[in-house]
Amino acid sequence: MAAAAERTDELVREYLLFRGFTAALKQLDAEIKADREKGFRVDKIVDQLQQFVQSYDLAALRDYWSYLDRRLFSRLEDVYRPTVNKLKTSLFRYYLVHAIQNGRNDKAQEFFLKQASELQNQAEWKDCQDKVKLVLFALQAESSRMKKEELEVEQAVLHHKLPAYVANMDRLGDSELDMTCNQRSTAHSLQTRGGFLSTFLSQSKKGPSRPAHPSGASPTQTSSMLLGKKEPTNHQSAKGKEGTGSSKDGKSHFSGLASGESSSLQQRQKRLQEHGKERKELLSKGTFQGQSAEKKTDTGIAETEPCSELHAEQTDTSAKMPASSAEAVGVRQEQPFIVLSQEEYGEHHSSIMYCRVDCSGRRVASLDVDGVIKVWSFNPIMQTKASSISKSPLLSLEWATKRDRLLLLGSGVGTVRLYDTEAKKNLCEISIDEDMPRILSLACSPSGASFVCSAAAQSLVSHMDFSVVSSGGKSMNQVPGKLLLWDTKTMKQQLQFSLEPEPIAINCTAFNHNGNLLVTGAADGIVRLFDMQQHECAMSWKAHDGEVYSVEFSYDENTVYSIGEDGKFIQWNIHKSGLKVSEYDLPSEATGPFVLSGYSGYKQVQFPRGRLFAFDSEGNYMLTCSSTGGVIFKLNGEEKVLESCLSLGGHRAPVVTVDWSTAMDCGTCLTASMDGKIKLTTLLAQKS
């Protein structure tokens, strides 16, 4: 929508320039500049919101959000309303955090004053409001404290006075000078020893070790206390004499100070001993943790028993772990993906055949063996959008490329249907060939103009017959087939491709990124590469012993990958026919046929229909099937064995088809199993 609006604006501007309507052009530019919808461009709307937040313009922010809500958000479906409310809450929280981080407490208070009536009844803001109030209170207290300290420093600088013994130096006698020097040196030595001892104490125990004089006393008062002038103690006033009062008072005061310091030193030493005991106890707890756990168990604490057993099991496991397991754990710690979430879609009640994500990465179409089609979304919540049941059996499914609301459905009676997932109805149905009723594969060109259809005759044996698998029979599906090209708009056949050496059933098809190349895998084990501009087969080669089940282009499109009935996963060079780049052996649970065992010897068998492997956004990792869930392998042409990086798990039945959507920032992996369950796993790639 945004691209269309921008393109239309450019065309209108060119038209006005061509006609010479300069006044209209200026008016158009002014209107576009003042456009509040920003041409429906998300980046422009986000920039506008960011500008309001950066300028602390709360009124403009509220007004602009109200406009967006009225013009855009109110027209959405009800299912998106929680997401819109969450977006609004996050936006205003961002404004609040930005204001607090930049010291604009006035703007934060203004926010609560203006938004109080609206936010007081919202549960999302109750906890946030209490936390913000605490933060504001702490910031105000911190700022007031810093201002007070700055004021005290300024006053101390402005009103600084010299000590009395320095100011009255010329009035002191020799004896008084000697006494003052002795007092200062002794006090300094005591203070030094106190500081040395205080280094061994914690911060909470340093309070009593401060000097005895009050914090508010000035240097003049302190010096007068040291000299013993005008503040004699009680015993000094009772026993002192006038003749030698000053010197005796000074000595007696110094002795009292020394005794006080010695008592404080004793207290510090006592605290130091207590601190040492505490450290020994803590260390002994860490050393004899097992003994203490046994004691707690004997005293009747039952909760510690499983914990101690679990700890013992972990200890034994780590002790018995071989070197190879340790290396595996080391590799696992450096996983290329982080599993963010895993959800389950359980609307199907039979085995899944196809499960595909559309081009936008927003919707999924799934098809089961009973002919039930489900179209569902998973963002923001998992919800079924459309559901349909086909009277005739369905064998293939594909999303239309350009109009991603349309589905192509291939049946087992020689018809292809075009299904509208929004209108929930069939738009048209075309007949392919009565002699070849099975539509095995559909692939839509990236341009959206055409699609290819693979039609085949009835199989020689039922694909649900377990006797074929158990007896080791192969290539039982080698029946005649056709590969046809159809126009998407007119729904008419354009041409039929030539299949050499003979017409054969095509099991799988895939286009490259621009639709110029088409790769196919057939029941005769041959991979064919078609030039879609010339509409002819460019090359073909024998790829597998048996049928080819699944084919895909590589990320750079210089090679193709194929999985066959022989259990091989092979990479082929498309520039040289039949040249292998790499070859890997896959377990049978990844290639099929897939077997689901039940009670009383019941066995259900399903041959591969959908995609058996899918790549990540850069083509370095591959998702495959397994008996318990999807498995991600790292692709490395130098190694002869695929390196397993991550097992998604979550399934109780064999996984029969997979898909990996990279349309979103986080990759979405789909794994569908024979019990009808589909697991949607969201992955986050770790960039190295």
Side-chain angles (χ1 to χ4, degrees):
M1 182 65 184
E6 189 174 0
R7 178 60 178 162
T8 305
D9 292 342
E10 292 178 0
L11 293 175
V12 173
R13 186 179 286 105
E14 290 179 2
Y15 174 76
L16 294 176
L17 284 173
F18 175 74
R19 294 297 304 274
F21 299 150
T22 56
L25 180 61
K26 291 181 180 178
Q27 185 66 25
L28 176 65
D29 291 337
E31 293 289 342
I32 292 176
K33 188 175 182 181
D35 181 23
R36 304 186 72 178
E37 295 174 356
K38 306 299 179 184
F40 297 102
R41 289 185 57 181
V42 179
D43 55 342
K44 297 293 184 181
I45 294 176
V46 172
D47 290 342
Q48 184 65 59
L49 293 172
Q50 186 82 6
Q51 181 180 353
F52 290 144
V53 172
Q54 298 291 341
S55 60
Y56 308 103
D57 195 345
L58 180 60
L61 181 64
R62 294 174 60 187
D63 180 62
Y64 191 56
W65 179 265
S66 300
Y67 177 80
L68 293 177
D69 191 26
R70 184 173 62 257
R71 287 282 293 143
L72 301 177
F73 303 142
S74 62
R75 305 174 189 268
L76 297 176
E77 298 177 8
D78 294 338
V79 67
Y80 296 107
R81 178 53 53 182
T83 305
V84 174
N85 293 335
K86 188 175 181 180
L87 178 61
K88 179 181 178 181
T89 302
S90 301
L91 177 64
F92 284 109
R93 282 183 177 178
Y94 172 62
Y95 173 87
L96 192 59
V97 170
H98 178 73
I100 294 176
Q101 285 183 343
N102 290 275
R104 297 301 301 269
N105 298 336
D106 55 334
K107 294 296 181 180
Q109 294 174 355
E110 177 192 4
F111 174 83
F112 282 112
L113 289 175
K114 292 184 177 181
Q115 298 287 104
S117 59
E118 181 181 352
L119 304 179
Q120 61 183 355
N121 296 325
Q122 297 183 14
E124 296 87 353
W125 281 93
K126 288 184 179 179
D127 297 337
C128 180
Q129 192 169 359
D130 296 338
K131 293 178 181 179
V132 169
K133 286 182 178 179
L134 291 175
V135 172
L136 289 174
F137 179 76
L139 289 174
Q140 290 177 354
E142 182 69 16
S143 61
S144 61
R145 185 184 66 80
M146 293 179 65
K147 289 180 180 179
K148 186 176 180 181
E149 289 181 355
E150 292 176 358
L151 184 62
E152 290 179 354
V153 171
E154 291 177 358
Q155 291 179 353
V157 172
L158 293 174
H159 302 88
H160 179 68
K161 295 182 179 180
L162 293 173
Y165 64 84
V166 178
N168 301 322
M169 187 70 72
D170 55 340
R171 301 179 185 177
L172 293 176
D174 294 338
S175 60
E176 292 175 340
L177 284 174
D178 294 338
M179 179 191 68
T180 302
C181 294
N182 292 333
Q183 288 176 354
R184 291 188 64 201
S185 60
T186 307
H188 178 70
S189 63
L190 290 174
Q191 186 177 2
T192 304
R193 283 187 293 170
F196 172 74
L197 292 174
S198 64
T199 58
F200 293 95
L201 300 176
S202 60
Q203 294 294 331
S204 60
K205 296 182 179 181
K206 287 185 179 181
S209 65
R210 292 179 180 177
H213 62 272
S215 59
S218 63
T220 307
Q221 294 174 346
T222 306
S223 61
S224 61
M225 290 172 62
L226 289 172
L227 291 173
K229 291 184 178 181
K230 296 183 181 180
E231 293 183 2
T233 57
N234 293 331
H235 70 276
Q236 288 172 351
S237 59
K239 297 181 181 180
K241 296 182 181 180
E242 292 181 354
T244 58
S246 60
S247 61
K248 287 183 178 180
D249 288 348
K251 292 179 181 179
S252 62
H253 183 78
F254 172 73
S255 61
L257 182 64
S259 62
E261 290 288 343
S262 61
S263 63
S264 65
L265 286 175
Q266 292 176 359
Q267 292 178 0
R268 291 171 188 164
Q269 291 176 355
K270 186 177 180 181
R271 289 181 186 137
L272 184 60
Q273 293 175 357
E274 293 176 356
H275 182 64
K277 291 180 180 179
E278 291 178 359
R279 291 182 62 187
K280 289 180 180 179
E281 290 177 0
L282 290 174
L283 292 174
S284 62
K285 285 182 181 179
T287 307
F288 303 100
Q289 187 175 3
Q291 298 178 0
S292 61
E294 293 177 358
K295 291 180 181 178
K296 289 182 180 179
T297 307
D298 294 336
T299 54
I301 302 178
E303 295 179 359
T304 59
E305 186 174 357
C307 297
S308 61
E309 290 177 358
L310 179 61
H311 178 72
E313 290 178 2
Q314 293 177 351
T315 306
D316 296 339
T317 304
S318 61
K320 296 177 182 179
M321 183 181 295
S324 59
S325 301
E327 292 176 0
V329 171
V331 173
R332 195 176 297 114
Q333 291 177 353
E334 299 177 356
Q335 288 180 354
F337 300 98
I338 299 174
V339 178
L340 299 181
S341 64
Q342 188 176 72
E343 302 175 84
E344 180 181 290
Y345 184 77
E347 295 295 323
H348 289 279
H349 303 289
S350 58
S351 180
I352 307 296
M353 296 173 61
Y354 281 86
C355 185
R356 296 297 302 269
V357 188
D358 67 353
C359 299
S360 64
R362 295 182 291 110
R363 288 177 299 177
V364 180
S366 50
L367 170 66
D368 61 28
V369 295
D370 291 337
V372 178
I373 308 138
K374 299 284 185 180
V375 178
W376 45 283
S377 62
F378 52 86
N379 190 12
I381 61 175
M382 194 171 287
Q383 183 182 29
T384 301
K385 297 293 186 180
S387 181
S388 177
I389 301 177
S390 175
K391 296 180 181 179
S392 58
L394 296 178
L395 302 179
S396 54
L397 175 148
E398 177 69 358
W399 282 101
T401 308
K402 290 301 181 182
R403 300 182 64 187
D404 56 0
R405 59 187 286 180
L406 303 180
L407 270 178
L408 292 169
L409 301 172
S411 71
V413 294
T415 60
V416 173
R417 282 187 287 164
L418 192 62
Y419 180 74
D420 191 332
T421 60
E422 293 186 3
K424 302 178 183 178
K425 64 179 182 180
N426 294 323
L427 297 182
C428 64
E429 184 173 2
I430 56 175
S431 296
I432 304 298
D433 193 333
E434 294 180 357
D435 296 333
M436 297 185 180
R438 294 190 303 140
I439 310 302
L440 297 181
S441 179
L442 293 168
C444 190
S445 171
S447 64
S450 60
F451 68 91
V452 294
C453 168
S454 168
Q458 290 290 352
S459 176
L460 299 177
V461 64
S462 173
H463 269 219
M464 300 302 291
D465 187 2
F466 182 71
S467 61
V468 178
V469 182
S470 60
S471 62
K474 291 186 177 181
S475 303
M476 301 300 293
N477 194 36
Q478 292 194 17
V479 295
K482 292 181 179 180
L483 186 64
L484 308 173
L485 181 66
W486 287 74
D487 187 276
T488 306
K489 295 181 180 179
T490 62
M491 296 302 288
K492 293 182 179 180
Q493 180 179 331
Q494 291 181 331
L495 58 93
Q496 177 180 344
F497 292 96
S498 175
L499 299 177
E500 299 294 341
E502 60 181 358
I504 193 68
I506 301 295
N507 291 332
C508 47
T509 54
F511 279 98
N512 70 335
H513 78 285
N514 56 12
N516 290 335
L517 294 176
L518 173 71
V519 62
T520 66
D524 57 0
I526 295 179
V527 171
R528 295 172 173 85
L529 189 67
F530 291 89
D531 183 351
M532 296 305 293
Q533 294 179 338
Q534 302 296 328
H535 298 118
E536 62 182 14
C537 182
M539 62 178 66
S540 62
W541 62 90
K542 181 69 173 179
H544 294 275
D545 181 15
E547 299 186 42
V548 180
Y549 285 150
S550 189
V551 290
E552 294 290 340
F553 278 94
S554 63
Y555 176 74
D556 58 8
E557 298 186 350
N558 289 319
T559 59
V560 294
Y561 289 90
S562 63
I563 285 182
E565 190 178 0
D566 55 2
K568 303 288 186 181
F569 176 68
I570 306 177
Q571 182 182 11
W572 305 92
N573 190 326
I574 66 173
H575 303 293
K576 295 182 180 180
S577 179
L579 178 61
K580 288 183 183 179
V581 178
S582 60
E583 179 180 344
Y584 307 97
D585 289 324
L586 292 178
S588 60
E589 60 188 20
T591 61
F594 306 102
V595 181
L596 179 61
S597 301
Y599 296 104
S600 303
Y602 169 78
K603 289 184 179 180
Q604 179 184 348
V605 181
Q606 180 175 329
F607 280 72
R609 291 291 191 188
R611 301 177 67 177
L612 296 183
F613 62 97
F615 299 118
D616 70 324
S617 59
E618 298 180 355
N620 296 325
Y621 298 90
M622 174 187 67
L623 173 65
T624 63
C625 305
S626 76
S627 58
T628 58
V631 179
I632 295 178
F633 292 95
K634 182 178 181 181
L635 297 176
N636 190 351
E638 299 177 357
E639 300 293 336
K640 294 184 178 180
V641 180
L642 287 174
E643 178 185 351
S644 176
C645 298
L646 181 63
S647 178
L648 303 181
H651 287 277
R652 297 183 179 180
V655 173
V656 295
T657 182
V658 298
D659 200 3
W660 195 335
S661 172
T662 57
M664 302 296 184
D665 293 336
C666 297
T668 303
C669 293
L670 290 173
T671 53
S673 61
M674 294 185 70
D675 59 358
K677 306 299 182 184
I678 301 174
K679 293 289 184 178
L680 188 145
T681 308
T682 305
L683 302 178
L684 178 64
Q686 298 192 76
K687 301 297 182 181
S688 57

